[in-house]
Amino acid sequence: MQIEGAVALVTGGNRGLGEQLVKALLERGAAKVYAAARNPGSVTTPGALPLALDITDPASVRAAAEQAQDVTLLINNAGISTGSGVLDGELDAFRREMETHVFGTLAMSRAFAPALARNGGGALLNVLSALSWISFPTSAAYCAAKSAEWSVTNSLRVQLAEQQTLVTSLHVGYMDTDMAAKVDAPKSDPAKVAHLALDGIEAGDYEVLGDEISGQVRAGLAAGPAALYPQLAQARG
C-alpha cells in the first residue's frame, strides 16, 4: 500500500490526530483525501474534501460510502472520551463510547470493505490506544471501548486479508490534542504520530506503536495482571 496516489477517507478529520492524518496524507501525495466530520464546515485543511459523516448514524455511514466509492485507504479515527469511571460513571456514557468506538468503527469497516475490494484491496487503519491493553478505573468506559475495538480490529484483519486489504491498528498514549488538554502527563506530537501511522501502512505492518508507553504496555501483556496493575499488590499489603 502506497500513500502516494491513494484515495483516503479519515473520520474525525477536522481536528486533533485526524486533522494531522489528513495533512500528512496530502503532504505524501495522496490523490484525494476525504476529511469526514459531523460538521463538514469545520474542516479547514487546504486540499481536503469535507464530507458530512456521523459514524453512529447508519444512514450517514451509508451515504458516505455511496459518495466515496473510490476509497483505497479508510482511517477510522473518530472518537470520544466521556471520562466515565467503572463504578460511578453513567451507563449511558459507556453506551456512547461503545457506539462510537466499537459499533461506529464496525459500521464504517463494513460499509467500505466492498469499495476497498473493488479498488484493489487497499488498507484500513483503526486508531486505537495504549488503553486497548490496560485499563484505568477512572476512565473505564474509554478503556473498555478501545479494548473491544481492538478485538473487532483483529477479526477484520483475518476477514479482510481474503480480499487483500491490510488492516493496521495504531496504539498511542496521550497526544497533544483537545481530548487530552486537561491531562497533566507527557504527550506525543500528533503530527509525528500521523506520519508513523502512514509509515506503518506503507511497510505492511499490522500494528503501529505510536509512542514509548504503548510499547511498554504491549510488552507487559505477557507478564499478567499483577505486573500491569501494581495496585493489586499494594492492596494486599
Side-chain angles (χ1 to χ4, degrees):
M1 177 72 201
Q2 297 299 311
I3 301 303
E4 185 174 1
V7 177
L9 187 153
V10 181
T11 67
N14 58 325
R15 62 177 184 169
L17 177 62
E19 183 178 39
Q20 294 304 321
L21 283 162
V22 169
K23 291 179 178 179
L25 286 161
L26 291 167
E27 289 171 7
R28 294 169 71 146
K32 184 187 296 185
V33 180
Y34 296 99
R38 288 182 176 180
N39 174 15
S42 63
V43 175
T44 59
T45 302
L49 297 177
L51 178 68
L53 174 64
D54 177 353
I55 67 170
T56 66
D57 178 357
S60 181
V61 171
R62 287 194 298 271
E66 291 172 3
Q67 181 175 343
Q69 296 187 27
D70 51 352
V71 165
T72 61
L73 170 59
L74 171 64
I75 299 182
N76 288 313
N77 163 77
I80 62 170
S81 177
T82 63
S84 296
V86 68
L87 294 181
D88 58 355
E90 296 289 337
L91 286 180
D92 281 347
F94 276 74
R95 293 187 182 98
R96 285 179 57 210
E97 297 258 14
M98 291 290 180
E99 284 290 343
T100 302
H101 297 290
V102 184
F103 298 115
T105 294
L106 179 59
M108 287 293 296
S109 301
R110 286 180 169 184
F112 280 88
L116 293 173
R118 288 194 306 269
N119 297 327
L124 186 156
L125 173 70
N126 284 344
V127 176
L128 301 182
S129 171
L131 299 182
S132 305
W133 299 319
I134 191 170
S135 295
F136 296 147
T138 54
S139 55
Y142 184 85
C143 297
K146 283 299 182 183
S147 183
E149 187 181 5
W150 176 47
S151 180
V152 168
T153 299
N154 285 327
S155 294
L156 288 169
R157 289 189 220 280
V158 177
Q159 185 84 57
L160 296 185
E162 300 173 3
Q163 66 177 44
Q164 303 301 309
T165 297
L166 170 70
V167 177
T168 301
S169 58
L170 169 64
H171 299 265
V172 63
Y174 295 123
M175 291 180 288
D176 191 11
T177 63
D178 291 344
M179 186 178 289
K182 296 181 180 179
V183 175
D184 183 16
K187 301 174 188 178
S188 299
D189 180 351
K192 292 182 179 179
V193 173
H195 281 284
L196 280 175
L198 299 186
D199 288 343
I201 292 170
E202 291 196 319
D205 294 337
Y206 293 117
E207 286 183 347
V208 175
L209 303 179
D211 56 8
E212 184 177 352
I213 190 64
S214 296
Q216 292 173 351
V217 175
R218 182 72 169 84
L221 290 176
L228 284 174
Y229 303 100
Q231 306 97 313
L232 299 177
Q234 296 169 6
R236 287 184 175 181

